[in-house]
């Protein structure tokens, strides 16, 4: 049975600040450096939401010069149908404050253009009565995200108090997140420490890349666990949480993740072999909590693992 909840939401006073490194049209600059569509950018400009060095921008053809600062004040009202769907999900842990879900590869975390249903949020709305609402109606309970094709553990907040607590822990890098990945190539190092900044790819806004332009610090530690003839199973520990961080960093050091549809090539329907297998943190109760999950059975399918 599907339960339909039709809601409206308003994103107010959400500011994004960017600095231009070249002379470029304002709409293209914002598109290259954000997740906004061209239509959304035009709407933001039309509703007085874009400023360059403090001056209001009124046209999408406005030219931004190198060194100028662009501030986007997002004030877009949208209507969305939130559907509670009876989708099977695996609960790895639950108490009065949080839920930890072992997400399947291929499942989007929350609704977005092109993914209005079938997401983890749609499943959460069906299976759980109480979820925090700090992130609005399209992301109830969502404290952090993992990629669509990444499987594994994701923390969900049942109330706003726990949401604020865990969001602050994540901001302070006090939620320890551990991943396992199967990469192409034999990694013979004992450990690889990757510390290179990540930003949006200026040639493809759907991708991230290692770059010094409009980027943020990104640190990943990679530990080989088992070396095969043509592959290596690695453990990854994050110090930062940038978009696509592990995928971009592993490709950068020439060990791309098997089946990565964005930074490599698709192998099968399971896609990338990247699994968030462990979370550890000090709970809001004051106790230390560590939750682990096993690799999905599909992780090694269609792969020749000769030693």
């Amino acid at each position: 049975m599907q339960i339909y909840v039709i809601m409206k939401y308003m994103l107010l006073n959400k500011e994004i600040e960017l600095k231009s490194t070249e002379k470029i049209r304002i709409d293209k600059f914002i598109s290259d450096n954000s997740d906004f569509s061209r239509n959304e950018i035009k709407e933001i400009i039309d509703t007085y939401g874009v400023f360059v060095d403090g001056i209001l921008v009124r046209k999408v053809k406005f030219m931004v010069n190198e060194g100028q600062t662009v501030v986007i004040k997002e004030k877009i009202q949208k209507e969305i149908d939130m559907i509670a769907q009876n989708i099977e999900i695996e609960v790895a842990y639950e108490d009065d404050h949080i839920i930890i879900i072992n997400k399947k590869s291929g499942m989007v975390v929350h609704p977005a253009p092109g993914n209005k249903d079938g997401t983890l949020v749609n499943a959460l709305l069906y299976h759980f009565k109480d979820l925090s609402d700090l992130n609005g109606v399209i992301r109830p309970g969502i404290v952090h995200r993992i990629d669509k094709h990444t499987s594994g553990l994701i923390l969900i907040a049942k109330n706003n108090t726990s949401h604020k607590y865990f969001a602050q822990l994540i901001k302070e890098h006090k939620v320890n997140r551990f991943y396992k990945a199967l990469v192409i190539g034999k990694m013979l190092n004992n450990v690889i420490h990757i510390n290179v900044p990540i930003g949006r790819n200026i040639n493809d806004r759907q991708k991230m890349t290692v770059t010094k332009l409009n980027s943020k610090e990104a640190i990943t530690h990679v530990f080989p666990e088992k070396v095969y003839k043509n592959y290596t199973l690695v453990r990854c520990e994050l110090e930062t949480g940038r978009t696509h961080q592990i995928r971009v960093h592993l490709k950068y050091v020439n060990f791309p993740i098997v089946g990565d549809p964005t930074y490599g090539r698709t192998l099968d329907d399971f896609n990338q072999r990247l699994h968030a297998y462990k979370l550890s943190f000090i709970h809001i109760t004051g106790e230390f909590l560590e939750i682990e999950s096993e690799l999905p059975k599909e992780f090694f399918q269609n792969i020749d693992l000769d030693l």
Side-chain angles (χ1 to χ4, degrees), residues 61-73:
K61 295 182 180 180
F62 181 91
M63 298 299 295
V64 183
N65 293 311
E66 181 180 353
Q68 288 189 307
T69 299
V70 178
V71 173
I72 307 161
K73 296 185 178 180

Side-chain angles (χ1 to χ4, degrees), residues 179-193:
Y179 293 75
K180 289 190 178 181
L182 187 66
V183 302
I184 299 173
K186 298 180 71 170
M187 188 180 294
L188 302 179
N189 312 64
N190 291 326
V191 59
I192 299 178
H193 301 289

Side-chain angles (χ1 to χ4, degrees), residues 36-44 46 76:
F36 294 120
S37 68
R38 289 297 181 94
N39 287 336
E40 288 175 327
I41 293 167
K42 183 178 186 306
E43 187 173 355
I44 297 171
D46 289 344
I76 303 178

Side-chain angles (χ1 to χ4, degrees), residues 174-206:
K174 292 181 180 178
V175 174
N176 301 307
R177 291 170 289 169
F178 304 91
Y179 293 75
K180 289 190 178 181
L182 187 66
V183 302
I184 299 173
K186 298 180 71 170
M187 188 180 294
L188 302 179
N189 312 64
N190 291 326
V191 59
I192 299 178
H193 301 289
I194 309 171
N195 185 353
V196 287
I198 290 176
R200 195 163 296 280
N201 189 323
I202 61 173
N203 298 314
D204 186 345
R205 59 185 291 272
Q206 300 299 323

Side-chain angles (χ1 to χ4, degrees), residues 253-281:
V253 295
N254 297 316
F255 289 101
I257 294 176
V258 174
D260 188 329
T262 303
Y263 302 101
R265 63 183 181 85
T266 298
L267 177 65
D268 50 34
D269 290 341
F270 189 74
N271 281 311
Q272 67 200 26
R273 270 50 173 188
L274 179 61
H275 182 71
Y277 80 97
K278 182 165 69 172
L279 287 175
S280 66
F281 48 81

Side-chain angles (χ1 to χ4, degrees), residues 40-100:
E40 288 175 327
I41 293 167
K42 183 178 186 306
E43 187 173 355
I44 297 171
I45 292 174
D46 289 344
T47 54
Y48 313 104
V50 176
F51 297 80
V52 174
D53 287 347
I55 306 299
L56 178 67
V57 173
R58 296 294 294 119
K59 295 182 179 180
V60 294
K61 295 182 180 180
F62 181 91
M63 298 299 295
V64 183
N65 293 311
E66 181 180 353
Q68 288 189 307
T69 299
V70 178
V71 173
I72 307 161
K73 296 185 178 180
E74 186 182 358
K75 298 181 180 180
I76 303 178
Q77 180 171 308
K78 297 181 178 179
E79 185 175 291
I80 192 166
D81 296 346
M82 294 299 295
I83 308 170
Q85 294 177 298
N86 186 10
I87 301 170
E88 181 182 355
I89 51 177
E90 179 185 342
V91 177
Y93 174 85
E94 181 182 5
D95 60 27
D96 292 339
H97 308 279
I98 60 171
I99 311 154
I100 296 179

Side-chain angles (χ1 to χ4, degrees), residues 181-185 226-233 258 267 273 295 297-307:
L182 187 66
V183 302
I184 299 173
K226 191 165 186 178
V227 179
Y228 301 94
K229 181 179 179 180
N230 298 307
Y231 305 96
T232 306
L233 179 66
V258 174
L267 177 65
R273 270 50 173 188
L295 290 174
K297 64 180 184 300
E298 301 93 345
F299 207 78
F300 296 105
Q301 70 182 11
N302 300 323
I303 298 171
D304 181 3
L305 290 179
D306 288 341
L307 294 174

